[in-house]
Amino acid sequence: MNAPGGSLLVAEDLRKEYGPTMALDGAEFSIHPGEVVAVMGPSGSGKSTLLHCLAGIVTPDSGSILYAGQDLAKMSDSERSRLRRSEFGFVFQFGQLVPELTCVENVALPLRLNGTARKQAERTALGWMERLEVDDLAKKRPGEVSGGQGQRVAVARSLVTNPRVVFADEPTGALDSLNGERVMELLTEAARSANAAVVLVTHEARVAAYSDREIVVRDGKSRDMERVV
Ligand SMILES: Nc1ncnc2c1ncn2[C@@H]1O[C@H](COP(=O)(O)OP(=O)(O)OP(=O)(O)O)[C@@H](O)[C@H]1O
């Protein structure tokens, strides 16, 4: 079931203070199934805090977040963590692959944590690695692959559970522009073909260009660029 208006994830009037810092000050957000939305804005404006609230990682001080019509605040911790494990995928800027595991084991990890048997999990993982053009790296460890290759492995891992929303926080922030563009191409292509929505935090216009819509966050307040004349 989706929220009214066909939105998959809707946030209203989010506020979050860290001591004297107002990280979110009435931020709003909405995303439809399969849509790619870029969250832009200057450093420290509240982009990552917004993403963490939407993903149920950080609890806002006030405001509401509805995922598929369900209020995140009314869920128990275990319901929220089940949501993060099975309905959401995550890609971050750095250090997200487990160094001791091979790349295919890394991609298979979310399935293993959900109870899928190893062989089946690794078969599914390899399918996603093919789509991200990194299946030849299956047996390598993260320390043996390049930054761009590692991010493609991380993208494969974010999609392996067939999530309905992928949260990507500066996924190309540590890459050169050519590798960054390729990661964005593959991430958006793979997400669109799986009908997964993508919440993409970035401060780079060329990365945001891969989105369907942009939201700008300034001083903890968000503005949907489509509504700006
Ligand atoms: N865990 C925390 N503890 C204290 N202050 C925090 C915490 N997380 C964020 N902040 C503060 O909240 C404000 C918003 O931070 P946030 O990381 O959301 O911004 P951002 O737009 O993602 O920045 P950047 O583009 O630099 O990553 C900043 O002033 C930051 O210092």
Side-chain angles (χ1 to χ4, degrees):
M1 184 187 81
N2 292 331
S7 293
L8 179 61
L9 185 60
V10 187
E12 279 176 9
D13 203 17
L14 294 185
R15 288 169 203 276
K16 179 74 188 173
E17 285 176 27
Y18 289 111
T21 305
M22 186 71 105
L24 291 179
D25 185 13
E28 296 182 355
F29 183 87
S30 73
I31 194 165
H32 287 87
E35 192 181 24
V36 181
V37 173
V39 178
M40 301 198 65
S43 182
S45 58
K47 303 183 295 296
S48 295
T49 305
L50 175 61
L51 180 141
H52 292 149
C53 287
L54 294 172
I57 297 170
V58 162
T59 306
D61 299 334
S62 64
S64 70
I65 303 167
L66 295 182
Y67 169 74
Q70 293 168 277
D71 189 338
L72 253 56
K74 294 198 176 130
M75 291 180 188
S76 65
D77 284 349
S78 67
E79 283 170 328
R80 265 195 304 271
S81 72
R82 191 206 58 80
L83 195 70
R84 285 197 299 270
R85 275 204 322 269
S86 51
E87 308 264 320
F88 296 167
F90 295 91
V91 189
F92 298 105
Q93 184 174 356
F94 296 116
Q96 49 196 317
L97 298 175
V98 181
E100 293 82 8
L101 299 181
T102 63
C103 287
V104 72
E105 287 167 345
N106 266 284
V107 176
L109 191 58
L111 293 173
R112 298 283 289 129
L113 293 173
N114 284 346
T116 308
R118 188 175 63 82
K119 268 197 176 157
Q120 194 193 327
E122 292 192 4
R123 211 170 26 241
T124 307
L126 206 56
W128 280 103
M129 292 180 81
E130 275 169 28
R131 294 170 78 165
L132 275 297
E133 299 171 356
V134 284
D135 47 311
D136 53 326
L137 307 174
K139 297 287 174 212
K140 290 198 186 292
R141 286 178 207 281
E144 299 171 306
V145 307
S146 73
Q149 290 167 335
Q151 278 308 71
R152 287 196 243 161
V153 172
V155 170
R157 187 176 64 177
S158 76
L159 289 162
V160 77
T161 55
N162 278 321
R164 298 192 68 198
V165 188
V166 175
F167 293 94
D169 197 350
E170 301 278 6
T172 64
L175 305 179
D176 62 53
S177 59
L178 206 62
N179 271 306
E181 300 220 351
R182 191 71 190 124
V183 165
M184 283 312 302
E185 256 169 40
L186 291 165
L187 166 62
T188 49
E189 257 173 45
R192 284 193 173 107
S193 72
N195 201 35
V198 180
V199 181
L200 168 69
V201 165
T202 182
H203 57 265
E204 292 179 78
R206 68 178 174 80
V207 173
Y210 287 87
S211 69
D212 301 313
R213 189 156 57 85
E214 291 176 18
I215 283 180
V216 174
V217 182
R218 260 177 225 286
D219 300 326
K221 297 179 174 71
S222 57
R223 216 163 47 134
D224 190 326
M225 294 316 282
E226 259 187 9
R227 296 198 202 121
V228 177
V229 186

